[in-house]
Amino acid sequence: MIVKDLSSDWTFSEKDSLSWLPAKVPGCVHTDLLANGKIEDPFYRLNEHDLQWIDKKDWIYKTEFELDQVILSKGRIVLDFKGLDTYADVYLNDQKVLSADNMFREWTVDVKKYLKKGKNKLHIAFYSPITKGLELHDANAFVYPGAENDQAELGQVEGNKRVSIYTRKAGYHYGWDWGPRLVSSGIWRPVYLRAWDHARIQDLQIVQNQVKENLASFTAVLELESEQEVLADIQIRNNGLELAASNVQLKKGVHKYELNFDIENPKLWWPNGLGEQDLYTINAEINVNGRVEQASRRIGIRTMEVVREKDDEGTSFYFKVNGVPVFMKGANYIPNDIFPSRVSKDQLKKVIETAKNSNMNMLRVWGGGYYEDDLFYDLCDEAGILVWQDFMFACAMYPGKREFLDNIKAEARDNIRRLRNHPSIALWCGNNEILVAWHNWGWKRQAREQGEEVPAMVWKAYADIFHEVLPKAVEEYDPSRFYWSSSPSSGTGVKPDLINGDDHYWGVWWGKEPFETYATHIARFMSEYGFQSFPEMKSVRKYAEPEDCDIFSEVMKSHQRSSIGNETIEYYMLQDYRKPKDFESFLYVNHVLQAEGIKFALEGHRRAMPYCMGSLYWQINDCWPVASWSSTDYYQEWKALQYYVKKGFEPLLVSPYLEKDNLKVAVVNDHLKEIDAKLILKVMDFTGNVTWSESKEISIRKNSSEVFYGQQLKKFLQGRNPEKELFLVELKVDSEVVARNILYFKSVKDVKLPKPKVEYSILKKENSYEIRIESDVLAKNVFLSLGDEDGFFSDNYFDVLAGETISIRLETEISLEKLNEVIQLRTLDSTFE
């Protein structure tokens, strides 16, 4: 096969304009306008508001490419568009060859008869997704409930009509409660011309049949497209070792051919923290009359089940990998940029490294974005990060017309086939929050207000998509994987109830319930919960001016899309903290607030195992600089939450907590072996004096959570001063502290924080710096920063107890001289008046 990349030498123009400008493919209208200086940075201040005209226009992209007789002599030649966003007509040498209407599909079309030797012209007309959406909206007899995140008013859409649901396009482009509204168009993934003779491998699926300790058996399913009936040799190899071979008579057209093979002494693929991520590259080769075609797929050998069994409480919901129940520790994941083509390989690598280094084993690819690039899943395979994969439906009821359902079916087919060989794919989920919204958010009532017959029509469309089209697609193309119709739910069409499935808990934040309820509102699997924070000051300076630095300024309100955002952050902050003295202090306290709040959840969920077997907070990343629920901001700077998550997801967790009127200490062990340890409990005052201590030898069962200490709180605090004392818990294995945690008996607002004298020293290492920090008294939430310089601290926002020394690592390229100039250290006590 000859493959010609057609990603270069593109130009673009507004329709009917004579002004053509250079374009980048992959890319989009907004990034091309920005690169050509025609618009200002959409993320800066309020610029986004002035760019809403772009999505009302039609745009033309064009290029020319040369072909020689070698390519033209091939029997088959196709154009392969990996991604067109979204409504597009494709013309080759002035002949229309394709009409596209789905951002999530791969579009291929035979073009041999349109091509010629020498120069060929390719141009694509993109039509306004708003204009198309309005046509579909107005043609419907009623308005579908939901789509509240479609910021139609900001988008200056006629009648503020929410049109996003009618278009198979990333929902977050139309706005979300953490994202901007920038509805773009363009060639968002690569374009190729492919030419071949006789036969090609259209798809290769590696089906795992059985895994035993000494042998794993597989079937290689080759989908071959042949131009004629012809004899072919097929070989399956791994690292040059022949696994199977066959001589087959190919039929004309597209047909499947199967070869069975075994791998001896298989090395298993494990989730992060439980073992290695061994991967095998399986190569398939077909030889037709001396012409060879090849394809390869990388697989991991592992078993995967989602266990749904009745028990005393309800119905379980947990993942069993290689026969072992695994508590899922992770986060929800959204696109890394509002413009998908702008996401770099380094960005993807960094977010997966963050997940792995934070002891996560699962990310949920949320249904309002897009099916991620192949590299994302490759990186998850390598890191041991399982993927809860949503189909791209979120927070709205969707149309149910036959052509729409057929489009969804093709979309599901393309993406299931593309991703099914990845060991990281854990399950397919139909949608995000639609079922619970239909039952609990008033959507059914909104439908009924438009006519008694409307709810039945709306629900039929829902059932057709999520109970018929999508599960049938999974059954046909990836039958070994589990399908879950909606998150959260208790089963197909059954709303969540805490005892039978997964749950999204937003009582903290939307309900203004206290953080402590995170540890009591627990389902079998917690797939969403979260609390907001702003980016740190270094990041804010990239999109705002000094005069904008007030949480209620127009710029800060615009870079906050939750309808209750900034005032809710302030409300929670003033429950536990005194009012910060300035804007920068507010950002810092906000980070600590977010981290401390989610700490209740992480630890509460893990303590509740095996009843609860998953904790995925919302969310690990951002698509633009904004106040949001993220633990790393748009620039991939770690917030306090990410540091807390890393500790909260350690395989060994020691967790002191208050439950009603009792003080308890639980230990969670994710390791697959029993561990003997020493549990050390201390009460210390803020100057370092130990006023009480106790220790005991314990055996921690494998893969377990167990309470190892309990005492009535009132009795425990008798004779103590909770305003000036803390509870320190440590776990030692072979004299080494392997886990540590601190519990304060009062909120920060009600404790008497001392004014610490914190000293630090910097030692230059080969590729980093070691920073040693010590304090005379308790230093609460020590935060190190480098101004506007780049660098990564191995720990941050940590407490330093009186008299102890803590060493952390700093990775940065700046010199020691520069480091001494820019490094700053802040403690919580200094942020209040």
Side-chain angles (χ1 to χ4, degrees), residues 82 104-106 188-189 202-207 269 279 296-300 302 304 333 348 363-366 369-381 385-392 410-429 473-474 477-482:
K82 295 298 184 184
F104 308 123
R105 288 176 61 180
E106 179 177 351
W188 76 289
R189 279 182 169 155
Q202 186 165 285
D203 189 55
L204 171 61
Q205 180 186 13
I206 308 301
V207 178
W269 184 97
L279 296 166
S296 66
R297 297 291 184 268
R298 195 170 63 165
I299 64 167
R302 53 100 178 118
M304 167 71 69
Y333 169 93
L348 286 177
L363 290 174
R364 174 177 174 237
V365 177
W366 165 81
Y370 54 86
Y371 307 93
E372 261 295 347
D373 288 349
D374 294 342
L375 176 61
F376 173 87
Y377 302 96
D378 287 338
L379 293 168
C380 288
D381 292 344
I385 304 297
L386 287 161
V387 176
W388 172 308
Q389 179 65 57
D390 281 8
F391 287 100
M392 293 301 115
E411 167 192 323
R413 173 187 180 274
D414 285 359
N415 287 285
I416 294 170
R417 283 159 54 94
R418 178 170 69 92
L419 302 179
R420 62 189 174 186
N421 288 299
H422 289 279
S424 56
I425 297 289
L427 65 65
W428 296 98
C429 179
V474 173
Y477 300 114
D478 194 16
S480 69
R481 293 275 186 358
F482 184 81

Side-chain angles (χ1 to χ4, degrees), residues 139 157 297 299 578 658 754 767:
V157 178
R297 297 291 184 268
I299 64 167
R578 297 192 297 279
L658 303 176
N767 296 310

Side-chain angles (χ1 to χ4, degrees), residues 440-658:
N440 296 350
W441 296 4
W443 287 7
K444 201 181 298 186
R445 174 183 50 77
Q446 293 171 28
R448 189 172 294 112
E449 288 171 353
Q450 301 179 74
E452 286 299 319
E453 74 287 352
V454 172
M457 291 190 288
V458 173
W459 179 253
K460 184 180 186 308
Y462 176 93
D464 284 347
I465 296 170
F466 303 111
H467 300 170
E468 294 291 332
V469 172
L470 293 179
K472 285 182 178 177
V474 173
E475 178 61 29
E476 181 175 357
Y477 300 114
D478 194 16
S480 69
R481 293 275 186 358
F482 184 81
Y483 173 79
W484 189 238
S485 63
S486 183
S487 180
S489 69
S490 293
T492 301
V494 183
K495 66 181 181 179
D497 59 11
L498 296 184
I499 61 173
N500 291 297
D502 72 320
D503 194 47
H504 297 185
Y505 175 53
W506 289 103
V508 174
W509 185 259
W510 290 105
K512 290 189 170 63
E513 295 174 7
F515 285 140
E516 288 80 0
T517 58
Y518 273 137
T520 57
H521 183 105
I522 297 178
R524 311 310 294 262
F525 194 103
M526 298 300 297
S527 45
E528 263 196 40
Y529 58 91
F531 191 85
Q532 274 200 355
S533 69
F534 276 84
E536 66 176 77
M537 197 66 206
K538 172 186 173 183
S539 296
V540 169
R541 281 193 287 265
K542 294 179 180 179
Y543 68 86
E545 294 296 328
E547 59 265 32
D548 304 323
C549 291
D550 181 300
I551 64 166
F552 296 112
S553 72
E554 289 305 309
V555 169
M556 290 304 148
K557 286 192 293 183
S558 186
H559 287 253
Q560 161 64 274
R561 291 302 162 88
S562 173
S563 59
I564 62 167
N566 294 351
E567 59 268 30
T568 301
I569 293 173
E570 187 175 59
Y571 168 82
Y572 275 94
M573 186 180 292
L574 295 180
Q575 301 302 302
D576 291 333
Y577 299 87
R578 297 192 297 279
K579 188 173 183 178
K581 63 186 179 184
D582 53 35
F583 181 73
E584 190 164 354
S585 297
F586 180 93
L587 299 187
Y588 160 69
V589 177
N590 182 194
H591 278 205
V592 175
L593 173 74
Q594 179 193 32
E596 292 285 354
I598 299 303
K599 185 175 187 282
F600 277 102
L602 297 184
E603 295 190 13
H605 299 162
R606 294 189 68 191
R607 290 196 304 264
M609 71 180 290
Y611 177 83
C612 176
M613 286 296 286
S615 183
L616 310 180
Y617 68 89
W618 185 272
Q619 71 224 54
I620 192 173
N621 59 331
D622 273 328
C623 69
W624 77 312
V626 66
S628 82
W629 295 269
S630 70
S631 54
T632 66
D633 68 26
Y634 172 71
Y635 305 104
Q636 298 188 298
E637 302 286 350
W638 281 34
K639 299 179 181 180
L641 176 55
Q642 196 65 56
Y643 288 103
Y644 275 50
V645 164
K646 181 179 180 182
K647 295 170 186 172
F649 282 159
E650 285 278 3
L652 271 177
L653 170 72
V654 59
S655 177
Y657 63 105
L658 303 176

Side-chain angles (χ1 to χ4, degrees), residues 134 152 156-162:
L134 283 168
Q156 302 162 29
V157 178
E158 170 197 314
N160 295 333
K161 296 172 182 175
R162 295 168 177 159

Side-chain angles (χ1 to χ4, degrees), residues 764-776:
K764 183 77 173 75
K765 297 287 189 177
E766 186 175 349
N767 296 310
S768 63
Y769 296 94
E770 181 186 354
I771 302 176
R772 295 176 181 171
I773 301 162
E774 55 185 38
S775 178
D776 58 339

Side-chain angles (χ1 to χ4, degrees), residues 7-266:
S7 298
S8 59
D9 300 322
W10 286 83
T11 58
F12 81 112
S13 173
E14 185 181 335
K15 184 182 178 183
D16 299 327
S17 170
L18 298 177
S19 175
W20 290 88
L21 297 167
K24 184 178 180 182
V25 172
C28 71
V29 172
H30 285 76
T31 53
D32 288 331
L33 289 170
L34 182 61
N36 283 280
K38 298 301 180 182
I39 62 171
E40 299 296 323
D41 180 1
F43 295 170
Y44 181 69
R45 302 194 81 202
L46 301 175
N47 286 348
E48 170 209 1
H49 298 220
D50 298 326
L51 303 180
Q52 299 305 313
W53 59 272
I54 298 171
D55 61 27
K56 318 298 187 299
K57 304 288 186 182
D58 298 337
W59 300 89
I60 310 295
Y61 278 72
K62 67 179 183 180
T63 190
E64 294 180 347
F65 57 92
E66 297 272 345
L67 292 182
D68 57 24
Q69 195 58 44
V70 173
I71 291 182
L72 290 172
S73 65
K74 293 290 184 180
R76 290 285 303 283
I77 309 176
V78 301
L79 272 173
D80 182 1
F81 297 93
K82 295 298 184 184
L84 294 172
D85 181 13
T86 292
Y87 295 106
D89 286 336
V90 179
Y91 297 85
L92 181 60
N93 293 328
D94 299 322
Q95 296 292 314
K96 183 177 175 180
V97 297
L98 173 68
S99 286
D101 61 355
N102 189 324
M103 174 182 176
F104 308 123
R105 288 176 61 180
E106 179 177 351
W107 300 91
T108 58
V109 58
D110 285 285
V111 294
K112 180 176 171 66
K113 64 182 179 181
Y114 303 111
L115 294 168
K116 59 187 180 182
K117 186 176 180 180
K119 189 177 292 183
N120 289 264
K121 296 185 297 182
L122 177 62
H123 88 263
I124 306 173
F126 287 97
Y127 303 104
S128 162
I130 304 304
T131 301
K132 289 284 187 180
L134 283 168
E135 292 171 3
L136 294 164
H137 177 283
D138 293 347
N140 206 57
F142 56 86
V143 176
Y144 283 89
E148 290 92 348
N149 289 294
D150 184 331
Q151 299 165 12
E153 185 174 358
L154 172 63
Q156 302 162 29
V157 178
E158 170 197 314
N160 295 333
K161 296 172 182 175
R162 295 168 177 159
V163 302
S164 56
I165 63 165
Y166 296 96
T167 299
R168 293 309 298 145
K169 174 177 171 60
Y172 82 116
H173 283 172
Y174 296 82
W176 218 266
D177 59 4
W178 37 256
R181 183 186 175 92
L182 293 163
V183 189
S184 201
S185 298
I187 309 167
W188 76 289
R189 279 182 169 155
V191 184
Y192 301 105
L193 188 77
R194 302 183 186 275
W196 71 92
D197 283 318
H198 299 304
R200 69 158 179 157
I201 303 174
Q202 186 165 285
D203 189 55
L204 171 61
Q205 180 186 13
I206 308 301
V207 178
Q208 179 180 289
N209 300 318
Q210 191 176 39
V211 179
K212 296 181 179 179
E213 185 176 352
N214 298 322
L215 195 72
S217 62
F218 301 86
T219 301
V221 183
L222 291 89
E223 191 171 279
L224 304 181
E225 182 178 12
S226 179
E227 295 303 295
Q228 56 188 319
E229 292 192 4
V230 65
L231 202 62
D233 293 319
I234 304 178
Q235 288 185 318
I236 306 296
R237 294 190 181 93
N238 168 242
N239 286 340
L241 175 67
E242 184 178 285
L243 301 172
S246 181
N247 190 257
V248 299
Q249 182 74 27
L250 299 185
K251 301 175 186 176
K252 189 174 182 180
V254 179
H255 297 276
K256 290 182 180 178
Y257 304 85
E258 297 185 357
L259 280 80
N260 294 321
F261 66 92
D262 296 328
I263 293 178
E264 295 181 355
N265 301 315

